[in-house]
Amino acid sequence: MGLSEQEKSETTAGINYASGAAGILPESGTTTGDILSLEEQINYFLQTVKNDLPKSFSTQEEISSYLSKSIFVVSIGSNDYINNYLQPANYNSSKTYAPQQYGALLISSLKQHLTSLYNLGARKFLVFELGPIGCLPAIINAANPKPTTPCLESVNLLIKIFNSGIPSMIQELSSTLEGSTFVYGDIFDKSYQLNMSPLTYGFSGGNTPCCVVGGNGTTICLPDQIPCENRNTHLYWDAFHPVQRVNYEVASGCFRGSSTCFPVNVGQLAGI
């Protein structure tokens, strides 16, 4: 459901343009149903800048000032693998691109989209790398044969190729886009350690999803089923998504810490 006209006139507290199953590439996630690709999400942001923000500000200078102080969080790319490259029956990407080529394609496309955001007024960016997709219950349970380790490392190697391209992309954008500040969200290593040793970190339920999932352990939650009693003991809510506790720890580290997000954390970015 879209925003009402009243809600569109009160957008200065921020907007989430995310779309479930969407990716950097326009085709990613399309077999799951209607999605908004990153390009379409940015087009919605364009409409916000042109049509909605003028209702809250008197001049273009005020809008530009507001946008320059805003923080743009970009966390995308997982579905370019889960709902694209790793589904050869539905997509041709793995037959068309070698892993290095595909990672480079994603980085190049993401760079263009971040530049588009900058051209629309964005100046402060928080860009997250991808987590260890090879550790997701859905990926593990769909593997044939099943891995003998907690994670499917062949998939994690694909993710590392993409992640390795983000720092240089951010560095190049920082040096070419005047007045921009880019923060890097480093989440792979910590998430990987959680998956390798969940008990060490207090997740007694381990990698087993909290809710009841279908498809031999490869889907989101089945309706009308009772979830686990204590979701904080499980790493995953369903076969794809970590529980709130995991997200909270990542967010807390990024907001206040010095190891998850750098060269500054979000608190510092807000004060720049």
Side-chain angles (χ1 to χ4, degrees):
M1 183 176 67
L3 297 178
S4 67
E5 290 304 313
Q6 177 64 27
E7 289 170 329
K8 288 180 180 180
S9 68
E10 300 172 349
T11 58
T12 54
I15 297 180
N16 183 355
Y17 296 90
S19 175
I24 298 169
L25 302 180
E27 64 270 22
S28 295
T30 51
T31 60
T32 65
D34 290 335
I35 55 97
L36 298 176
S37 68
L38 182 54
E39 180 178 9
E40 292 174 299
Q41 295 174 41
I42 293 174
N43 285 336
Y44 273 101
F45 173 60
L46 168 63
Q47 298 305 314
T48 298
V49 172
K50 288 194 170 183
N51 301 330
D52 301 326
L53 288 182
K55 300 171 184 176
S56 300
F57 298 96
S58 301
T59 66
Q60 183 59 48
E61 287 73 20
E62 290 180 352
I63 293 176
S64 297
S65 176
Y66 162 74
L67 291 174
S68 70
K69 298 174 184 176
S70 302
I71 296 175
F72 291 76
V73 180
V74 180
S75 178
I76 198 166
S78 294
N79 286 298
D80 293 291
Y81 289 96
I82 297 172
N83 287 307
N84 190 329
Y85 199 75
L86 295 175
Q87 290 192 26
N90 295 321
Y91 300 94
N92 291 323
S93 53
S94 62
K95 305 166 190 173
T96 306
Y97 301 100
Q100 291 284 354
Q101 293 174 319
Y102 190 67
L105 172 65
L106 294 180
I107 290 293
S108 175
S109 299
L110 180 58
K111 180 181 177 183
Q112 293 177 5
H113 291 312
L114 292 173
T115 302
S116 296
L117 285 173
Y118 175 87
N119 291 333
L120 290 172
R123 293 297 181 267
K124 296 181 180 182
F125 299 85
L126 168 56
V127 181
F128 281 98
E129 67 178 7
L130 301 184
I133 291 173
C135 301
L136 297 179
I139 298 297
I140 297 295
N141 292 328
N144 186 18
K146 295 288 192 300
T148 57
T149 57
C151 300
L152 189 59
E153 299 303 347
S154 59
V155 171
N156 283 339
L157 286 175
L158 296 175
I159 305 310
K160 288 181 178 180
I161 291 172
F162 173 81
N163 287 348
S164 67
I166 296 180
S168 58
M169 176 196 70
I170 286 178
Q171 179 59 41
E172 184 175 348
L173 289 175
S174 297
S175 61
T176 57
L177 301 181
E178 183 179 356
S180 66
T181 302
F182 282 83
V183 171
Y184 179 49
D186 181 359
I187 60 173
F188 183 97
D189 289 339
K190 177 62 181 296
S191 297
Y192 183 76
Q193 292 304 319
L194 289 177
N195 280 276
M196 293 299 288
S197 306
L199 290 177
T200 302
Y201 298 92
F203 292 95
S204 58
N207 304 46
T208 304
C210 175
C211 74
V212 180
V213 299
N216 294 318
T218 63
T219 71
I220 58 176
C221 301
L222 295 178
D224 302 322
Q225 302 294 311
I226 299 175
C228 63
E229 186 173 345
N230 185 358
R231 66 194 66 184
N232 287 328
T233 63
H234 291 247
L235 273 177
Y236 292 96
W237 171 247
D238 55 21
F240 294 95
H241 304 96
V243 296
Q244 179 175 301
R245 175 186 166 192
V246 174
N247 290 325
Y248 177 82
E249 290 181 5
V250 171
S252 296
C254 192
F255 267 79
R256 294 183 285 271
S258 59
S259 60
T260 304
C261 291
F262 55 86
V264 296
N265 59 36
V266 171
Q268 294 165 324
L269 180 64
I272 293 176

